[in-house]
Amino acid sequence: PIFFPWADGRSSISAGWERQESALLSTGVDDARPIRPIRDGDMWSTTASLRPRLPGLLGARVTGRLDAEGGILDGDGYVRWLFGVELDGGRLGSPWGWEAEVGGALAAGTLPPQRLVLLGGRRTVPGYTFRGWGGDQAFFAKLLGSRRVIGRWLNLRAFATVGTVGITPVSAGAAELFGASASGGLRPSLGTGIGVVNDFLRVDVARGLNDGVWEWMVSFNKDLWPMM
């Protein structure tokens, strides 16, 4: 990786080549998640992943993300930009905490199905079909508040999310092949849950408010993800 003086150690530039082919589902499980088709071919790509150091805001730790990717698949070129900002307002010794996240994506060129921007379900907009929407324009936001109720052993959590995905000629062909659709406007959801042992383990339930479903989620604190 190449070091950027205004970014942290996870920022890098990479390039690669891949031979990509659609896979077939071989399991006999009835409710297995379907494998969607992609465009077969040789893909050349270059990706720059930047994690800039951002100043704190409202007493929160702020983390930025910007990924820029350009590629060619059998003569068709594309560019994708993905961005995100996370705020962590947890204060040491305080019974209250809050988190916020904003993210989005934009693409140009001829986007292949395997590079569609996907939203829906856990980690994006819970309470809807997992990655049920796909396109070349996307935005999502999340706001979460928490309160300690039994020292470091138990936290109560409540959160709200919203997301949207759009399809333009950039991704229309890819979305049709992949079986993805636009979100049809903003899709909100609400959820609540608990965190145990310093929020190490989290158990949440969410409901999509616009033709959504109930979704249960078990996860670990995101600060631990780099170690897993």
Side-chain angles (χ1 to χ4, degrees):
I2 298 175
F3 174 74
F4 300 92
W6 43 270
D8 69 18
R10 294 178 296 163
S11 299
S12 63
I13 295 178
S14 61
W17 166 85
E18 301 173 55
R19 175 64 184 174
Q20 301 201 355
E21 298 179 355
S22 294
L24 297 176
L25 186 64
S26 59
T27 181
V29 179
D30 293 336
D31 59 350
R33 185 178 297 156
I35 296 178
R36 300 187 184 186
I38 63 172
R39 273 187 60 189
D40 298 344
D42 296 319
M43 177 177 287
W44 299 84
S45 63
T46 301
T47 303
S49 298
L50 307 180
R51 304 295 183 266
R53 300 187 184 115
L54 301 177
L57 179 66
L58 301 175
R61 180 181 63 188
V62 183
T63 304
R65 171 183 176 180
L66 175 62
D67 294 331
E69 175 189 355
I72 299 176
L73 176 61
D74 283 352
D76 291 328
Y78 70 91
V79 181
R80 292 198 319 169
W81 298 273
L82 297 90
F83 71 88
V85 178
E86 297 183 16
L87 293 83
D88 187 347
R91 296 183 178 180
L92 186 64
S94 173
W96 292 95
W98 65 276
E99 300 173 11
E101 182 177 1
V102 176
L106 183 65
T110 302
L111 205 62
Q114 51 267 51
R115 289 298 185 266
L116 286 169
V117 180
L118 303 175
L119 282 186
R122 63 178 61 231
R123 297 281 299 276
T124 57
V125 189
Y128 296 95
T129 301
F130 182 76
R131 305 303 182 260
W133 315 307
D136 57 275
Q137 301 175 349
F139 171 83
F140 81 96
K142 176 180 180 179
L143 181 62
L144 178 147
S146 62
R147 177 68 163 87
R148 290 184 182 179
V149 292
I150 306 178
R152 63 188 181 91
W153 299 104
L154 182 65
N155 290 355
L156 295 181
R157 299 155 44 83
F159 55 90
T161 61
V162 64
T164 183
V165 178
I167 296 176
T168 73
V170 171
S171 63
E176 182 179 0
L177 177 62
F178 198 73
S181 63
S183 63
L186 291 174
R187 296 293 188 109
S189 69
L190 295 175
T192 186
I194 61 172
V196 297
V197 189
N198 282 331
D199 221 16
F200 173 81
L201 179 67
R202 299 172 173 181
V203 180
D204 298 308
V205 60
R207 171 74 183 187
L209 303 182
N210 186 353
D211 296 327
V213 297
W214 289 102
E215 181 176 5
W216 286 90
M217 297 165 287
V218 179
S219 61
F220 293 98
N221 190 311
K222 62 185 178 181
D223 291 338
L224 302 173
W225 294 349
M227 299 182 290
M228 295 182 175

